[in-house]
Amino acid sequence: MSRKWVYDFTEGDGKNKKLLGGKGANLCEMTQIDLNVPPGFVITTEACLAYLDDPERRLPEGVMDQVHANLAAVEKKTGRTFGGREKPLLVSVRSGSAISMPGMMDTILNLGLNSQTLLGLINGTGNNRFGYDAYRRFIQLFGKVALGVPEEKFDAEFEAVKLKAGVKHDVDLSTSDLTDICDRFLKVVQLFTHKPFPTDPYEQLEIAIKAVFNSWMGKRAIDYRREFKITPEQANGTAVNVVAMVFGNMGNDSATGVGFTRDPGTGENVMFGEYLVNAQGEDVVAGIRTPKAVAAMAQELPKQFNELMELRRKLEAHYKEVQDFEYTIEKGILYCLQTRNGKMNATALVRTSVEMVKTGLIDKRQALLRINPEMLNQLLFPRLDPKNTSKPVAKGLPASPGAATGIAVFDADRAEKLGRTGERVILVREETKPEDIHGFFASQGILTSRGGKTSHAAVVARGMGKPCVSGAEGITVDIHLKVARVGDTEFCEGDLITIDGTTGLVYLGEVPMIEAEFSPELETILSWADEVARLQVMANADTPEDSERALKYGAMGIGLCRTERMFNGVERLPIMVEMIIAETKEDRIAALGKLLPIQREDFKQIFEVMAPRPVTIRLLDPPIHEFLPTERQLVDEIKELQNLRETIRGMRVLTDAAQFMNLPEIKSKIQGFTDPELVDTVIAKKETMLKKVRALHEVNPMLGHRGVRLGLTFPEIYEMQIRAVLEATAECLKAGIEVHPEIMVPQVCTAQELKRVKEWVLEIHKSVEEAYGLALKFKFGSMLEVVRACMRADNLAEEAEFFSFGTNDLTQATFSFSREDAENKFLPMYNLSNILQDNPFEVLDVKGVGRLMEQAVKWGRQVRADMKVGICGEHGGHPASIIFCHKIGLSYVSCSGPRVPIARLAAAHAALLEKI
């Protein structure tokens, strides 16, 4: 029995999206629940992969035979004949992978037209204009997608006819004009391909199927999968959906539109969408014409509007998810052409999750799992300051909420290039096309002069969480001159502009922004997340201000307080430098004595903010030379100072000469120059510093004199910090504030290091208790960021009460990669070549670093069963890494404050997914 490659909509399994693609599976399911779907069939993703694997790109054996058999069934259902001169059957050929990728692959409409079937279409409808409009659309789309003819070739001919006819809009073209366009388009194909346009409908169909399969490996599809991290396990290959055409361009009782069952920008429970009368679907999604809001249909086509509202209700009730669907009205009859889970921004996702739980459509578990934790990042972006007094220069449609500032760029390739350099970019286009997707990824926001809220630009921007203003028709965009004009105002490429996707307003220059605020719905979602999560979520915070911000984000404590960052203040750094360049222990202790009250006050303020939550304080970690200027900087400064000294000496000679020659006007102009002895003093200090920098020089400082190694060499540094922590604890307790300090030692590789530091801790602890007359409780622990420390975790657990994985350093040590060198030289190539699937500094390497962590947890808890274990590297805020941390039994994750909401939701996902 031959392999089954093709499934009719009446027989395909609507749950098998990996085989049938999301679009095909949903078409099958909608057909089987009796929604009005045009008849058709699906060619599987397996056929796509087999075709792409064939070096000669031949369709698998049996595919076209099954296509012909299924096409015959469609002919029977429609009463039309594919390639027939009377009542011809036309079809659309559409892509569809397991995961929705809007606009990233190809679609062909009106397939089956030629000079003979065109006459049959005209005779059957009695509408010459409609026939030639359908034909010119088919030639252009087939020519572009299947034959590789550049779209600009067609556009030039199309605009020439419009100019000749003196019309602005496509709908104003006459039948004669459209006939002329068809002739011109056929010549374009002949000139470009050196072959006539294919006229055999079955040949057209086979070419189209191959073209759609090929689009899976097109640049925009590959870029999209890479950007959204869509793996072959999630979606591999595209299905092809062959569907009987229904026409929205058959007159004023016909229309085409795109709808969302709820507003994808705000989440409001209202039908959202747009439509065009007498148009085909591509007109709406491509933004070629600015469509009408769906509410207008209630007056224009009231019967169909009511049917559309009922379709909306049925779709959401069946799929239990917000749906993004396309429909066509042909001669008053409503057809649903496709549906998929709606791509929404985070605001809409959060709001719809809460509201759908309240109405009983979904439960809390489903509400949490339908939100990708990374999307919460969108809710934390700044928004325009409402007190802003800037005047907008234009207003378009608020297509995707949020605000963004950047330089105007009129070309997607240039946007990508500039975006990679870190430049903030706003992509400005007349209308965007799927080919522009790489420019979207690199841009802060998108501005188009044409298109509606359901145009390609709007849909993709919302899915990315990027601000978008579309249909700003007051703006004339000239992509060739790279200039946009708004009345008497214009802005060029490189000019700074600001867009507000929430209001649709466009501003010249940069507009002030303010921090985002949590919505009540987000608070609700995160409270549900905390109820089910096992992992606690801490924050990395180094100052009282950081701590307050972390609390706002919902941090349950501080998992990493980096004490070295407290020394960089203008008043503190000179004292730190004084301590470093001290030649004797006594001088060093004297300088540390000045730092002690500063550190103690810092810790006290942080404890007060976080009370009664735990605060983990890491003792000094980086090499101390990092607090000093570089050797090159000091050498240059000393040279400049020496030149200044000679200049001042010359000025003194000039001053004496002016006095001797009685030239008061000269003397008055040169008074006030510094005494050279003062410059000599500064030079002497700089030279002492230079000597110390050279003495501290290391070939590989990150593997050298840092962390506990530095603390054991200069015990007075760690002793000062330990005392500051414990005295701050005592002062808080004395004030009635409950605190839970934790002292953490960095860069440990042996238990002997921990024992030495612990001895100091216990000695100082006793001293502080006696001085304050209080019993102090604290925890003593170790970072695990050295491979040997992980391998000796059982030994370290005899001294440490908690562990915290420093996965940034642990990853460098495990891979033997320097992060800066790896990311700037070979790591991107490793990722593109699939040598490594992810950047291990962004995504935890569970196969290597992860196994080390898992063993360390196991060995540590064999010695100390209640061992608290966490992670405080960058991975602590990465959702997939958090799921792994949950799996191996960590107690908490710690990340930067703004990542805390993301980590809270990811921790809930980890707990919920474990139960599946």
Side-chain angles (χ1 to χ4, degrees):
M1 183 177 175
S2 63
R3 185 170 181 179
K4 190 169 178 63
W5 299 107
V6 182
Y7 291 82
D8 187 88
F9 290 166
T10 59
E11 63 178 344
D13 179 0
K15 300 291 183 278
N16 195 348
K17 293 188 176 182
K18 293 206 75 171
L19 180 68
L20 304 178
K23 187 178 295 178
N26 286 337
L27 285 167
C28 292
E29 192 158 347
M30 288 193 296
T31 299
Q32 293 163 32
I33 62 171
D34 295 326
L35 295 183
N36 195 23
V37 176
F41 52 89
V42 190
I43 308 170
T44 66
T45 57
E46 290 177 349
C48 173
L49 297 176
Y51 165 76
L52 294 174
D53 284 343
D54 188 308
E56 297 181 21
R57 291 289 168 94
R58 293 169 301 193
L59 290 171
E61 185 178 351
V63 166
M64 288 310 296
D65 290 339
Q66 292 178 35
V67 165
H68 289 186
N70 279 270
L71 199 53
V74 175
E75 289 177 324
K76 188 174 181 180
K77 290 172 188 173
T78 59
R80 295 180 174 275
T81 304
F82 190 62
R85 296 188 179 192
E86 295 182 12
K87 298 184 70 177
L89 170 66
L90 304 184
V91 297
S92 63
V93 182
R94 299 171 180 265
S95 61
S97 71
I99 291 180
S100 175
M101 297 166 53
M104 295 306 106
M105 292 177 291
D106 291 327
T107 291
I108 295 173
L109 305 178
N110 306 334
L111 188 139
L113 277 172
N114 56 31
S115 59
Q116 298 302 310
T117 57
L118 172 60
L119 295 177
L121 184 66
I122 291 171
N123 291 336
T125 60
N127 189 334
N128 283 34
R129 189 191 184 284
F130 159 71
Y132 281 99
D133 187 43
Y135 194 29
R136 66 92 182 172
R137 290 172 184 271
F138 170 57
I139 299 167
Q140 179 170 5
L141 203 51
F142 189 90
K144 173 192 167 189
V145 170
L147 304 178
V149 181
E151 193 168 24
E152 295 76 20
K153 304 278 186 187
F154 295 115
D155 289 344
E157 297 297 332
F158 195 76
E159 292 303 319
V161 173
K162 283 171 68 175
L163 185 65
K164 179 182 172 185
V167 302
K168 183 178 180 182
H169 301 293
D170 304 358
V171 292
D172 297 324
L173 291 166
S174 67
T175 302
S176 174
D177 296 328
L178 292 168
T179 305
D180 185 16
I181 289 170
C182 291
D183 292 338
R184 288 171 179 246
F185 280 6
L186 290 171
K187 288 176 183 175
V188 165
V189 172
Q190 175 82 49
L191 285 170
F192 187 82
T193 66
H194 306 294
K195 293 179 183 178
F197 189 88
T199 57
D200 179 357
Y202 287 97
E203 181 189 359
Q204 293 173 358
L205 182 56
E206 184 169 350
I207 293 171
I209 290 167
K210 290 179 178 179
V212 173
F213 281 161
N214 285 330
S215 70
W216 175 254
M217 296 306 296
K219 182 181 185 303
R220 64 184 190 267
I222 292 171
D223 287 346
Y224 190 93
R225 293 197 295 275
R226 182 171 59 246
E227 179 72 14
F228 288 98
K229 296 181 170 56
I230 299 173
T231 66
E233 290 72 30
Q234 296 171 304
N236 202 7
T238 179
V240 170
N241 303 282
V242 179
V243 190
M245 282 295 303
V246 288
F247 298 96
N249 57 334
M250 293 186 73
N252 291 333
D253 60 351
S254 301
T256 186
V258 175
F260 287 78
T261 55
R262 301 187 189 216
D263 189 319
T266 66
E268 186 181 359
N269 188 9
V270 294
M271 168 77 181
F272 175 93
E274 295 167 321
Y275 74 102
L276 283 168
V277 169
N278 198 17
Q280 283 200 316
E282 287 300 301
D283 297 340
V284 177
V285 296
I288 294 167
R289 288 164 57 190
T290 300
K292 302 175 184 178
V294 71
M297 192 188 290
Q299 277 70 47
E300 196 166 16
L301 298 166
K303 178 177 178 291
Q304 289 74 25
F305 178 76
N306 291 333
E307 291 173 355
L308 193 62
M309 293 303 105
E310 179 61 14
L311 174 62
R312 170 210 177 204
R313 186 195 66 75
K314 286 180 177 178
L315 286 172
E316 195 166 281
H318 178 77
Y319 288 102
K320 299 188 183 304
E321 180 56 274
V322 175
Q323 292 296 292
D324 164 10
F325 62 102
E326 295 179 17
Y327 58 92
T328 286
I329 299 169
E330 180 185 274
K331 292 291 184 181
I333 300 173
L334 174 67
Y335 295 88
C336 188
L337 304 185
Q338 76 166 54
T339 192
R340 59 192 172 199
N341 290 348
K343 289 190 179 295
M344 295 173 279
N345 62 23
T347 300
L349 261 176
V350 167
R351 177 173 174 177
T352 54
S353 291
V354 172
E355 291 185 355
M356 288 195 293
V357 169
K358 287 180 179 176
T359 59
L361 190 64
I362 59 175
D363 58 28
K364 288 183 182 179
R365 178 183 172 283
Q366 292 168 308
L368 291 169
L369 288 176
R370 71 190 286 268
I371 305 171
N372 180 342
E374 285 285 6
M375 289 194 72
L376 296 189
N377 202 34
Q378 298 172 20
L379 300 179
L380 310 174
F381 289 155
R383 56 190 174 90
L384 291 189
D385 188 340
K387 297 177 183 175
N388 143 59
T389 56
S390 302
K391 300 293 182 187
V393 295
K395 181 175 175 63
L397 299 171
S400 181
T405 296
I407 60 169
V409 175
F410 294 77
D411 174 74
D413 292 337
R414 183 156 172 76
E416 180 183 43
K417 184 177 179 182
L418 290 173
R420 283 178 176 170
T421 68
E423 186 76 67
R424 294 181 301 165
V425 168
I426 303 292
L427 180 62
V428 182
R429 303 285 284 166
E430 285 182 293
E431 75 266 355
T432 63
K433 300 174 182 177
E435 291 80 5
D436 295 328
I437 188 68
H438 55 295
F440 277 50
F441 295 141
S443 302
Q444 304 295 309
I446 297 95
L447 169 63
T448 70
S449 61
R450 297 206 297 249
K453 292 183 182 179
T454 54
S455 64
H456 172 263
V459 171
V460 175
R462 272 195 300 273
M464 293 181 181
K466 296 196 175 192
C468 176
V469 174
S470 63
E473 294 189 340
I475 298 179
T476 303
V477 176
D478 189 325
I479 60 172
H480 302 294
L481 295 178
K482 301 187 185 304
V483 63
R485 296 182 180 87
V486 192
D488 296 331
T489 306
E490 68 176 33
F491 58 88
C492 303
E493 182 154 305
D495 289 346
L496 204 61
I497 63 172
T498 297
I499 63 170
D500 186 350
T502 306
T503 62
L505 297 175
V506 182
Y507 302 84
L508 297 183
E510 186 159 8
V511 177
M513 299 195 190
I514 59 173
E515 278 193 18
E517 296 176 352
F518 277 26
S519 67
E521 291 86 3
L522 179 57
E523 296 279 10
T524 299
I525 284 290
L526 292 175
S527 69
W528 293 347
D530 293 342
E531 288 171 9
V532 300
R534 181 185 59 75
L535 280 170
Q536 288 193 301
V537 178
M538 311 290 187
N540 300 342
D542 311 317
T543 66
E545 294 76 24
D546 288 346
S547 304
E548 287 175 354
R549 197 174 298 114
L551 277 184
K552 187 182 88 170
Y553 291 124
M556 300 164 193
I558 292 178
L560 176 65
C561 176
R562 294 156 286 206
T563 54
E564 60 271 9
R565 302 204 176 185
M566 299 174 172
F567 298 131
N568 288 323
V570 176
E571 298 174 355
R572 303 169 183 209
L573 189 56
I575 305 173
M576 190 67 179
V577 170
E578 180 185 338
M579 184 274 294
I580 293 169
I581 65 175
E583 294 295 331
T584 66
K585 182 176 180 178
E586 290 73 23
D587 289 344
R588 196 156 41 249
I589 290 173
L592 288 167
K594 298 176 187 177
L595 287 173
L596 173 61
I598 296 173
Q599 285 255 276
R600 181 175 59 229
E601 185 59 28
D602 283 339
F603 295 145
K604 182 183 173 187
Q605 288 182 29
I606 291 173
F607 290 158
E608 288 172 348
V609 170
M610 298 305 296
R613 301 165 187 84
V615 176
T616 304
I617 294 169
R618 183 180 72 185
L619 300 178
L620 190 65
D621 180 36
I624 55 177
H625 76 263
E626 288 192 3
F627 295 97
L628 299 175
T630 64
E631 180 181 10
R632 169 50 51 200
Q633 184 181 346
L634 286 167
V635 168
D636 289 345
E637 288 177 355
I638 290 169
K639 185 178 179 180
E640 292 292 332
L641 286 167
Q642 288 169 341
N643 291 337
L644 177 61
R645 179 173 59 191
E646 296 308 311
T647 301
I648 291 172
R649 284 175 177 164
M651 296 305 295
R652 289 185 69 176
V653 172
L654 180 60
T655 302
D656 291 344
Q659 185 171 354
F660 176 76
M661 298 169 68
N662 194 24
L663 299 171
E665 67 280 4
I666 295 178
K667 184 178 179 182
S668 65
K669 289 179 181 178
I670 58 177
Q671 279 180 339
F673 280 89
T674 308
D675 191 318
E677 283 77 16
L678 293 177
V679 180
D680 286 337
T681 302
V682 175
I683 289 174
K685 287 189 175 181
K686 292 282 185 182
E687 287 175 338
T688 301
M689 206 179 295
L690 178 60
K691 181 181 176 183
K692 180 61 72 173
V693 166
R694 286 170 172 163
L696 293 173
H697 172 73
E698 295 177 284
V699 174
N700 193 338
M702 298 316 290
L703 297 178
H705 202 189
R706 60 176 289 208
V708 69
R709 303 184 283 279
L710 179 67
L712 293 175
T713 308
F714 302 109
E716 53 274 14
I717 297 176
Y718 273 16
E719 287 171 353
M720 180 277 288
Q721 291 195 299
I722 293 163
R723 181 171 293 279
V725 171
L726 295 175
E727 287 183 357
T729 302
E731 291 192 6
C732 285
L733 289 177
K734 196 173 176 182
I737 300 169
E738 180 185 350
V739 294
H740 295 278
E742 300 180 349
I743 297 171
M744 183 164 68
V745 186
Q747 291 294 316
V748 171
C749 68
T750 171
Q752 293 304 315
E753 293 168 326
L754 274 185
K755 282 181 180 178
R756 298 282 178 89
V757 179
K758 193 173 185 179
E759 287 172 6
W760 304 338
V761 171
L762 295 176
E763 184 180 326
I764 296 168
H765 175 246
K766 182 179 178 183
S767 166
V768 173
E769 280 191 332
E770 289 174 355
Y772 283 85
L774 294 169
L776 305 180
K777 290 183 178 179
F778 68 95
K779 284 189 174 181
F780 177 76
S782 173
M783 293 276 288
L784 293 186
E785 50 195 335
V786 175
V787 174
R788 189 179 192 279
C790 295
M791 302 306 293
R792 297 287 290 161
D794 52 345
N795 194 232
L796 297 183
E798 294 174 3
E799 305 298 331
E801 297 171 273
F802 69 91
F803 289 151
S804 180
F805 288 104
T807 48
N808 296 335
D809 278 353
L810 186 57
T811 298
Q812 291 195 98
T814 304
F815 277 89
S816 195
F817 286 175
S818 157
R819 179 171 187 174
E820 290 77 9
D821 292 328
E823 290 185 330
N824 289 327
K825 291 184 171 66
F826 60 86
L827 198 50
M829 180 273 289
Y830 266 43
N831 293 146
L832 286 173
S833 305
N834 289 321
I835 295 172
L836 287 175
Q837 187 172 342
D838 298 297
N839 179 341
F841 298 105
E842 295 174 354
V843 181
L844 187 66
D845 167 44
V846 298
K847 295 176 181 177
V849 177
R851 290 189 71 183
L852 271 176
M853 293 170 63
E854 190 170 11
Q855 285 300 322
V857 172
K858 177 183 172 184
W859 291 333
R861 286 184 176 151
Q862 284 175 351
V863 173
R864 195 183 293 269
D866 62 346
M867 171 72 77
K868 176 181 173 181
V869 187
I871 179 175
C872 62
E874 190 174 317
H875 305 99
H878 180 261
S881 305
I882 290 169
I883 289 173
F884 178 78
C885 292
H886 173 96
K887 179 184 171 186
I888 64 171
L890 263 58
S891 314
Y892 70 91
V893 296
S894 188
C895 56
S896 64
R899 299 288 297 180
V900 165
I902 295 165
R904 289 167 67 189
L905 183 55
H909 277 209
L912 292 169
L913 293 172
E914 185 180 50
K915 298 172 184 176
I916 293 177

